[in-house]
Amino acid sequence: MNVVYLKLITGEDIVSYSEGVDEEYVHLYNPICFHTVNINRGAVIRSTKWIPFTDDNDFSVRLRDILILSTPTKDIEEQYFKSLDVLHDRSLQAEFESVAEFDEEEENAFYELYSNTSIRVH
């Protein structure tokens, strides 16, 4: 299985495991969406689960919905693996569920884990 980078026609930047491409689809496993966010000190990269409200980790994307299909840089690939580690760390989730009230740092970490800051309502 290879790690691939996709730029979708929607503008999303996805990094994922992939077993390959058939005539119509790219099959993705554990896709992570990367966002560039501007902060006071410059730009940072944030990552979120691509489809956040499901336990599914396998998806197929139509080739016609992809602008770019390539290999990610080593830095992005490393960030992808770190993101997977955080998303699959069930002990962190269990810790959040067992605490009745979060302190501010824990609350921000929880929201960061499940946030998608690129949603726009028109």
Side-chain angles (χ1 to χ4, degrees), residues 3-5 14-15 34 45 71-83:
V3 176
V4 296
Y5 164 76
I14 308 296
V15 178
F34 285 82
I45 294 176
T71 303
T73 64
K74 290 294 179 196
D75 291 339
I76 293 298
E77 188 173 321
E78 287 176 19
Q79 185 64 37
Y80 170 71
F81 293 132
K82 288 178 186 177
S83 298

Side-chain angles (χ1 to χ4, degrees), residues 8-92:
L8 302 181
I9 61 173
T10 59
E12 294 168 296
D13 294 296
I14 308 296
V15 178
S16 180
Y17 284 115
S18 177
E19 282 190 354
V21 179
D22 62 27
E23 309 81 42
E24 208 173 328
Y25 293 94
V26 175
H27 304 284
L28 305 178
Y29 304 93
N30 294 315
I32 299 289
C33 187
F34 285 82
H35 313 274
T36 304
V37 179
N38 292 319
I39 61 171
N40 293 340
R41 294 170 284 173
V44 296
I45 294 176
R46 302 259 170 104
S47 58
T48 58
K49 186 176 175 184
W50 180 44
I51 308 292
F53 304 118
T54 179
D55 288 331
D56 294 338
N57 291 316
D58 302 340
F59 302 94
S60 295
V61 178
R62 294 180 302 193
L63 289 174
R64 68 178 188 210
D65 294 328
I66 300 171
L67 289 175
I68 297 170
L69 176 60
S70 186
T71 303
T73 64
K74 290 294 179 196
D75 291 339
I76 293 298
E77 188 173 321
E78 287 176 19
Q79 185 64 37
Y80 170 71
F81 293 132
K82 288 178 186 177
S83 298
L84 286 179
D85 288 344
V86 169
L87 289 173
H88 293 124
D89 186 0
R90 299 299 181 206
S91 63
L92 178 64

